[in-house]
Amino acid sequence: MNISYEQSGQMTRLAALTLDLGESVHVLHPNQIVAFQGAPSLREDSFMKLSGMYRKKRMVQSRIRGPARFMLGLPEGYSLGTVDIKEDDDLLFEFRHVLFYSEGMSFRTHIQTLRNALMTRDFVKMRFQGPGKLGLLTAGPLYPIELDPGQPLYVDISCLVAYPQHVSLTPCVYGNTLASQNMNYHWEIKGSGTVLLQPCKPDKLLNEQMQSDSLMRRILKEIIPFGGVFIK
């Protein structure tokens, strides 16, 4: 399987996947397929399992076999990142980020603790077993960060895409009083391995700040504890 990007020197909005004979991929967001070259019979759509319908808010997924070439349109502000999954990888992914995975891969669900499920609003994570390739839809480019066993990593909850199953995850805030009152919850991650991050996130506060918000309202939001919550 070969993946190329149209207009590579600009903001990429289109990714082209070329499949050779014997290769196939499962696309979990079929509506993002904007163009297809190949025999029509090489695309087969099927209904997702109920668990997949709930997490992806989609009913149908597509299986595309080679030889074929198709293009995936990327929503504005989103990027396509790919991860090579080995047979012994233990990364846990949020299912909503998965755009496609190659044929032959298997996956199973990992039930989160109630505390972590309430924080992320997702009761399960997905562990993929390869070998194979995983396509992820993220807000901004996908970044890997190597964990330091001797020093925890703090990651904004909405920016964590995947993490090793064996690490310790604790929701927290950090910094002085003002810092901890004005940040989103973070994961304190302890252990070894690599985590995957997306650098961007929906930020309603940033959007408000880019609008004509008065100086007094902005000051009050900053100096009053939890002012960003109470002052709309």
Side-chain angles (χ1 to χ4, degrees), residues 152-155 168-172 186-190:
L153 176 69
Y154 298 93
V155 178
S168 169
L169 236 64
T170 305
C172 68
H186 283 57
W187 290 122
E188 180 186 56
I189 307 176
K190 297 179 180 179

Side-chain angles (χ1 to χ4, degrees), residues 160-198:
L160 184 61
V161 175
Y163 59 89
Q165 183 176 349
H166 62 269
V167 302
S168 169
L169 236 64
T170 305
C172 68
V173 292
Y174 64 91
N176 63 6
T177 302
L178 184 59
S180 62
Q181 289 176 348
N182 287 273
M183 68 169 60
N184 191 22
Y185 272 104
H186 283 57
W187 290 122
E188 180 186 56
I189 307 176
K190 297 179 180 179
S192 59
T194 302
V195 299
L196 301 179
L197 307 180
Q198 58 178 2

